Amino acid sequence: STPIRALGSNRVSRVLVAPQSARSRGGGVRLRRVLGRTPPSSGLESLSIGKPPTSPIRGNALSPRATMADASLETTDTALVDGETKWQNTVTRVSKAVVVIKTTGTRAFDTESASSSYATGFVVDKARGIVLTNRHVLRPGPTVAECVFQNREEVSLVALYHDPVHDFAFFRFDPNDVSFHDVEEINLLPEGAMVGLDVKIIGNDSGEKLSILSATLARLDRDAPKYGNKTYNDFNTWYVQAASGTKGGSSGSPVVNVDGHAVALNAGSKNKGASAYYLPLFRVQRALELLRNAAPVVGDGTGKFDTAIASRWHEPIVPRGTLQATFVYKGFDDLRRMGLPVDVEKRLRDTQVSSNGTGALAVEDTVPGG
């Protein structure tokens, strides 16, 4: 795909890309926001009866230290091989849950224009056919969408829920429409995200249908990325940051650990640089549990589902409130310049010792009269 032109070195872009048919007024492609091992010794020596014990060979015998070093290297190599095998098994299973999402926004609505694009999603409940992706993929307005599994089987999607503030949303499909693909689902593990965790981002990066990118989580307290002044921006939440280099089409990709659990949701990246930003899954998990109540029973436990699944869904209810204010995370150096007293800073630092916190929330905007 054609890369997005950066407006500034610090600009970030949502990881979502439009098909090549969409042309800008300048004549270029207009893309949406980018968006042999030695057996172990038994420890016992055996002597042949009637023969003296064999003397050790002096010239080329291995020292105990060298033997221990070889054993250590062998153990390390074995661990690496086992880790790679586990990752291969995880990727094979997880990829069966990842889908390419193709959407067409039929009307301009809210912060989204009428356009066609493609992105990524993944199945989080195969019994109910629930697919998780980003809010900017589903769009808040009228949308026609379908998903394509890895075996090139295509099914229609229906918008189920999008969060009014945070960048996540759910589609649903009828499990009976899937005839050939062995659908898997990915479990959510919000508390699994931690600094130094090795992860893989599996999705439709750069329109390649299936790309597997590796990264190591570097931050868990990154502010929500700013995509522009006249477009959708997330707020009042942390983001996870890592240098995965995700590009257009990977919006909605699962960020998975070696056990195949999703620890975050890929959302955006910088135009220039490898930094990428992932949405934490705490609010996503809560919403998913509430959405499951909209279709409490869809199967008989044998893998066969009610053919009238669409009529069994009722309106999903995900209650939430509003703070009527926008908060931003500031480091203690910035807070000190804003007038934070030293004694208050000390109390804040003492309460954040276990979490290695380096700042606090500050009010950025408020609703007039709120």
Side-chain angles (χ1 to χ4, degrees):
S1 62
T2 302
I4 300 296
R5 181 175 57 190
L7 299 179
S9 61
N10 292 324
R11 289 293 302 276
V12 294
S13 55
R14 266 185 276 167
V15 191
L16 180 67
V17 66
Q20 296 292 333
S21 60
R23 297 285 173 178
S24 66
R25 287 178 291 180
V29 177
R30 180 170 60 85
L31 302 181
R32 295 202 61 238
R33 291 172 296 277
V34 170
L35 273 192
R37 296 180 58 188
T38 303
S41 172
S42 63
L44 301 177
E45 296 181 358
S46 59
L47 299 177
S48 300
I49 299 176
K51 296 181 180 181
T54 303
S55 300
I57 301 175
R58 297 179 180 272
N60 55 0
L62 294 176
S63 66
R65 181 177 297 178
T67 304
M68 292 174 61
D70 290 344
S72 178
L73 289 173
E74 185 178 328
T75 303
T76 302
D77 292 342
T78 302
L80 290 174
V81 171
D82 292 343
E84 291 176 356
T85 301
K86 190 171 183 179
W87 267 120
Q88 290 174 353
N89 294 335
T90 296
V91 169
T92 300
R93 181 180 62 81
V94 168
S95 62
K96 295 181 180 180
V98 176
V99 298
V100 176
I101 297 179
K102 299 186 291 185
T103 63
T104 300
T106 58
R107 293 289 188 275
F109 187 85
D110 198 6
T111 58
E112 306 295 338
S113 61
S115 61
S116 297
S117 59
Y118 58 85
T120 307
F122 59 98
V123 180
V124 291
D125 191 322
K126 63 181 181 180
R128 294 169 174 82
I130 302 178
V131 176
L132 172 63
T133 188
N134 290 125
R135 178 189 186 272
H136 68 264
V137 174
L138 184 144
R139 309 162 186 263
T143 303
V144 178
E146 55 272 339
C147 72
V148 183
F149 292 95
Q150 297 305 314
N151 69 337
R152 299 287 185 176
E153 187 172 3
E154 184 177 275
V155 296
S156 298
L157 293 175
V158 177
L160 180 60
Y161 171 81
H162 77 269
D163 192 89
V165 174
H166 303 303
D167 199 7
F168 71 91
F170 295 92
F171 284 103
R172 67 175 176 86
F173 64 91
D174 190 340
N176 294 288
D177 291 342
V178 182
S179 302
F180 306 102
H181 185 66
D182 181 18
V183 181
E184 290 283 350
E185 68 181 27
I186 300 177
N187 296 323
L188 305 183
L189 187 67
E191 64 276 11
M194 61 187 69
V195 173
L197 178 69
D198 291 332
V199 296
K200 293 190 183 297
I201 301 88
I202 304 174
N204 181 35
D205 188 78
S206 300
E208 294 294 339
K209 182 174 173 284
L210 184 66
S211 294
I212 304 168
L213 303 174
S214 301
T216 301
L217 302 186
R219 292 180 60 187
L220 306 181
D221 58 354
R222 210 272 186 193
D223 283 330
K226 301 296 184 182
Y227 302 120
N229 294 327
K230 296 182 179 180
T231 185
Y232 165 76
N233 292 291
D234 203 344
F235 58 92
N236 284 353
T237 184
W238 310 115
Y239 266 68
V240 181
Q241 181 262 324
S244 61
T246 51
K247 294 296 183 290
S250 63
S251 282
S253 298
V255 180
V256 300
N257 61 12
V258 70
D259 296 319
H261 300 308
V263 299
L265 176 67
N266 185 45
S269 68
K270 278 192 174 182
N271 281 337
K272 291 184 177 180
S275 294
Y277 310 110
Y278 317 134
L279 179 71
L281 298 178
F282 295 99
R283 295 177 176 90
V284 179
Q285 188 179 47
R286 171 182 176 269
L288 176 60
E289 293 303 322
L290 293 171
L291 291 175
R292 284 172 171 154
N293 295 331
V297 179
V298 295
D300 56 7
T302 64
K304 297 180 179 179
F305 301 97
D306 187 354
T307 56
I309 182 175
S311 64
R312 297 178 64 88
W313 282 86
H314 55 77
E315 182 180 359
I317 300 176
V318 183
R320 54 174 297 130
T322 176
L323 297 173
Q324 297 188 355
T326 302
F327 294 88
V328 62
Y329 186 76
K330 295 287 187 181
F332 285 118
D333 52 345
D334 290 331
L335 293 173
R336 204 174 298 119
R337 286 189 287 270
M338 296 169 62
L340 180 70
V342 176
D343 59 330
V344 177
E345 178 181 344
K346 183 180 184 303
R347 292 201 301 268
L348 289 173
R349 287 184 179 273
D350 291 341
T351 60
Q352 300 181 48
V353 171
S354 60
S355 60
N356 296 321
T358 57
L361 293 177
V363 177
E364 185 178 44
D365 296 302
T366 60
V367 177

